[in-house]
Amino acid sequence: MDRDTAEHSSERLPERTGGTDDPVVDPVVELVEVVAVLGAFPALAGATLRVEPGEIVLLRGPNGAGKTTVLRVCAGLLPVVRGEGRVLGLDLTSDRDTIRTRVGLLGHANGLYTDLTVSENVRFWGATVGATAEEVVAALDRLALTGRLADVPVRRLSAGQRRRTALACLVARRAELWLLDEPHAGLDASGRDELDATLRQAAASGATVMVASHELERTGALATRVVDVVAGQVRG
Amino acid sequence: MSTWRIALLVAGKDLRVERRSRVVTNQVVPFAAVTMVMFAFALDADAVLQRVAPGLVWLATLFSLLVLVQRSYAIETDDGALDALRVAGVDPAALFWGKALALAVQLAVLEVILIGTAVVLYGAEVRAEGLVLLVTTLVTATCSLAVVGTLYGGLAAGFRGRETLLPLLVLPVVAPVLIGATRAVEAALGTVPGAVVSEGWPWVGLLAVFAVAFGVGGTLAFGPLIDE
């Protein structure tokens, strides 16, 4: 055990029993002194964070502080080189592939096929995890993408409607943790209002959301908790 | 979901996008037909055209392949869908085979049209005794081109200037397909004096080996290629 690990041994994650009769609800995200690198650059220099189910957590910090890196680590895209982390009860070192299938990361792009309709996009993304037709309809309902709107090609939608479609795809994919990177970027005023309403509804339905944003006033009003990210350090 | 179910899902999605956008119908097929006409203008003499018809068909197919591959990845990168698929943990092997399958279907349609164009424009003849060889050649060459195009398209998709990079990557690699498919179709159509159908089968074998090698390579390498 190296010196740093020994120093933080009191913060090591407890072993999970995985039992269904465990009365204690597991956190959705649990990071302890996580270090992650991008190339040779330490993008995350010790992140300790705990996110409980149903929370909307705003990651706040200047450009380059590591907000996006926190999201990418939680999505299983960046390996943890030191420290310990669990997402949805899965180990961030050994279960990254499984984690990827259970979280939804939405960046500036929506990941949609613009020649396909709203419902075809949601159906496609749902089908990648074996979602049923009922689940796809439920996802469309939840994001109010019903009626004629469901049959409109994505290229004809407004930016806000596209973002809603992308979120419906996350719902259809059964994403248990939503990781949103600057979700308001590129949206006009009505698109931003639409997105806020969607996130409020998601939170009311029990979704866990982590948002990296510079829109502090707007996102702060939605968040149940604000976590500062400074120079790759996170405490929350 | 199994790899093959996801592959069929991706192929179905790509073909549905094509049906909506009609890029193959409205752009690639006319491009290939114009290429065939330009060859006819350049070579002029009927006897020469008839002799080289198989090679011209495959050259037009290769040029069209580049357009098809660019299009196949443009729909994935326009709004970050390829990244989203990768982030969502979709099996890269399934993605590879799905895109290759959709590409193969589009190539097969194109090749049939080009063979028909060669018959009409160049006076090439489809002989009954060479029909099995012709169909087998089309199938194996199509598979080869589809897997190579998908593999290198995925590689180029992550680079700036991918439009110019793709031909540089793909054309040298598919040279054996051009040679093998041309020789096999020459034997099938009998465009070379004295050629017999049986001379085409070793070339089909080469095409099959090529398709298997790049199919296996693509299955293994596609994930790391599209990953960061």
Side-chain angles (χ1 to χ4, degrees):
Chain A
M1 185 183 289
D2 64 34
R3 196 168 62 88
D4 283 353
T5 311
E7 279 176 3
H8 296 298
S9 59
S10 62
E11 293 182 278
R12 285 183 71 101
L13 301 178
E15 290 300 320
R16 299 272 167 231
T17 59
T20 52
D21 54 351
D22 189 348
V24 179
V25 179
D26 283 346
V28 176
V29 174
E30 199 172 15
L31 307 180
V32 177
E33 290 299 323
V34 163
V35 174
V37 294
L38 277 171
F41 176 71
L44 216 54
T48 296
L49 177 66
R50 187 181 169 98
V51 179
E52 302 295 339
E55 275 195 291
I56 298 182
V57 173
L58 166 63
L59 299 177
R60 179 176 63 182
N63 283 338
K67 302 187 295 293
T68 300
T69 307
V70 172
L71 297 182
R72 293 176 73 78
V73 165
C74 291
L77 290 173
L78 272 181
V80 171
V81 296
R82 215 161 70 188
E84 290 184 61
R86 282 205 183 92
V87 169
L88 300 165
L90 297 161
D91 191 275
L92 268 174
T93 308
S94 57
D95 300 322
R96 283 168 60 207
D97 287 345
T98 312
I99 289 171
R100 284 189 190 194
T101 64
R102 291 179 55 185
V103 305
L105 174 65
L106 190 57
H108 297 171
N110 292 309
L112 301 173
Y113 297 99
T114 54
D115 285 311
L116 299 184
T117 66
V118 169
S119 61
E120 284 171 337
N121 269 283
V122 177
R123 203 177 306 132
F124 171 77
W125 283 103
T128 61
V129 294
T132 62
E134 289 76 22
E135 286 176 292
V136 171
V137 169
L140 289 165
D141 280 345
R142 187 164 155 191
L143 276 298
L145 295 164
T146 50
R148 283 187 180 177
L149 191 55
D151 297 322
V152 174
V154 166
R155 71 185 130 81
R156 291 198 200 143
L157 298 180
S158 68
Q161 289 170 327
R162 287 185 187 210
R163 194 44 64 108
R164 249 165 60 199
T165 306
L167 291 171
C169 294
L170 294 190
V171 174
R173 271 191 52 224
R174 304 170 187 148
E176 295 160 64
L177 168 65
W178 294 11
L179 304 166
L180 310 180
D181 192 5
E182 300 291 353
H184 296 94
L187 298 183
D188 58 16
S190 66
R192 288 162 184 238
D193 290 343
E194 261 183 59
L195 179 63
D196 290 350
T198 301
L199 293 181
R200 278 198 189 91
Q201 197 210 356
S205 322
T208 307
V209 185
M210 289 172 68
V211 187
S213 180
H214 285 112
E215 302 266 350
L216 300 183
E217 198 172 326
R218 182 176 279 273
T219 316
L222 290 170
T224 54
R225 190 154 57 97
V226 178
V227 171
D228 286 311
V229 183
V230 181
Q233 303 264 347
V234 184
R235 288 287 180 273
Chain B
M1 291 272 281
S2 74
T3 297
W4 287 109
R5 273 177 172 267
I6 301 269
L8 288 175
L9 181 71
V10 171
K13 176 264 298 171
D14 274 16
L15 292 173
R16 189 173 296 119
V17 168
E18 169 45 35
R19 202 180 64 204
R20 289 279 159 71
S21 63
R22 296 187 180 280
V23 168
V24 171
T25 318
N26 296 342
Q27 293 175 27
V28 180
V29 170
F31 166 74
V34 166
T35 306
M36 295 288 277
V37 172
M38 299 308 269
F39 284 146
F41 286 158
L43 298 172
D44 200 21
D46 285 353
V48 175
L49 280 172
Q50 208 170 358
R51 165 73 180 79
V52 300
L56 299 184
V57 165
W58 287 110
L59 269 177
T61 304
L62 290 192
F63 293 150
S64 305
L65 168 74
L66 298 173
V67 182
L68 288 172
V69 171
Q70 303 271 21
R71 171 66 187 161
S72 175
Y73 282 95
I75 64 172
E76 299 292 351
T77 53
D78 271 356
D79 196 23
L82 187 62
D83 272 345
L85 286 166
R86 191 173 57 81
V87 169
V90 173
D91 182 2
L95 192 54
F96 170 77
W97 282 108
K99 295 202 76 65
L101 184 59
L103 193 57
V105 170
Q106 295 172 67
L107 276 173
V109 171
L110 183 72
E111 286 160 10
V112 169
I113 292 171
L114 286 176
I115 295 272
T117 309
V119 169
V120 172
L121 280 184
Y122 306 160
E125 289 179 22
V126 179
R127 303 180 300 171
E129 65 265 32
L131 199 55
V132 174
L133 174 62
L134 180 63
V135 171
T136 314
T137 304
L138 290 181
V139 170
T140 49
T142 300
C143 292
S144 299
L145 295 177
V147 291
V148 171
T150 304
L151 182 60
Y152 283 90
L155 174 64
F159 288 95
R160 274 167 46 177
R162 54 180 171 257
E163 295 82 2
T164 45
L165 179 64
L166 185 69
L168 288 174
L169 292 173
V170 169
L171 290 179
V173 175
V174 295
V177 179
L178 175 67
I179 296 166
T182 300
R183 298 294 167 268
V185 173
E186 280 174 355
L189 300 184
T191 55
V192 177
V196 291
V197 170
S198 61
E199 288 174 2
W201 288 109
W203 293 107
V204 172
L206 170 76
L207 294 173
V209 169
F210 194 92
V212 170
F214 274 89
V216 171
T219 306
L220 299 174
F222 197 68
L225 277 183
I226 61 169
D227 227 326
E228 279 182 333

